[in-house]
Amino acid sequence: MIGTHSSKLEEQIEKVLEANSICSFATVEGSKPKVRYMALFHEGLTIYLATNRKTDKVDEVRDNPNVHILVGFDGKASSDILQIQATAAISNDNALREKLWTDDMAKWFDGPHDPNYVVLEITPSYMEYSSKGSEPQIWKG
């Protein structure tokens, strides 16, 4: 594996984040991993996941903020894939909730100021970028 923190690698990572609107999000429940699909938002290398404050994942992040995200597999051998180790924080910042709000969220929330609508702010500490035909590259925060 190639270890690096170059701007080229960060650009490749951002392209994968931009190309994928869904990710697998893993938390820890007790001592066991728990994975679910989530809608993916990002700004630079910071990842945001919108959710309901009353879900298990919010409780799990409160108990253990260490999370893992898998992005990019589309069933094709040519997929660019990210494995992301990170920490999650629960945010109810109004400006962030407004920024991420989409009309699709109205199925679950009464608007961007619904008190049950929170954002998980994901800060990566380690990312492995894999692309067909090249060695995995490592980004460390």
Side-chain angles (χ1 to χ4, degrees):
M1 286 190 223
I2 300 168
T4 185
H5 193 111
S6 74
S7 60
K8 182 179 179 192
L9 176 57
E10 289 178 357
E11 287 174 20
Q12 291 171 308
I13 289 169
E14 284 192 57
K15 283 181 186 175
V16 176
L17 293 172
E18 193 64 37
N20 291 274
S21 60
I22 301 293
C23 67
S24 294
F25 176 63
T27 56
V28 178
E29 181 179 39
S31 62
K32 308 248 185 211
K34 191 171 180 183
V35 181
R36 73 281 283 158
Y37 292 111
M38 300 213 39
L40 171 72
F41 304 91
H42 80 98
E43 185 172 312
L45 300 180
T46 302
I47 297 168
Y48 301 104
L49 307 173
T51 191
N52 190 308
R53 128 178 358 269
K54 297 178 182 178
T55 58
D56 290 344
K57 71 182 90 53
V58 170
D59 293 336
E60 292 154 9
V61 164
R62 277 192 190 107
D63 292 343
N64 183 344
N66 296 298
V67 299
H68 191 93
I69 294 176
L70 174 62
V71 181
F73 183 71
D74 61 7
K76 299 175 186 158
S78 62
S79 297
D80 289 341
I81 299 172
L82 292 177
Q83 294 273 356
I84 303 168
Q85 294 174 15
T87 54
I90 302 157
S91 174
N92 54 12
D93 175 85
N94 281 329
L96 181 59
R97 296 187 318 162
E98 289 172 8
K99 182 177 182 173
L100 299 180
W101 180 261
T102 67
D103 290 340
D104 289 340
M105 293 179 189
K107 297 177 219 169
W108 299 283
F109 304 108
D110 292 330
H113 299 286
D114 185 321
N116 289 320
Y117 167 45
V118 295
V119 175
L120 300 178
E121 186 172 345
I122 311 298
T123 304
S125 56
Y126 175 96
M127 292 188 271
E128 180 178 309
Y129 168 80
S130 300
S131 184
K132 186 179 179 189
S134 63
E135 283 203 41
Q137 297 180 59
I138 303 301
W139 177 96
K140 292 183 181 180

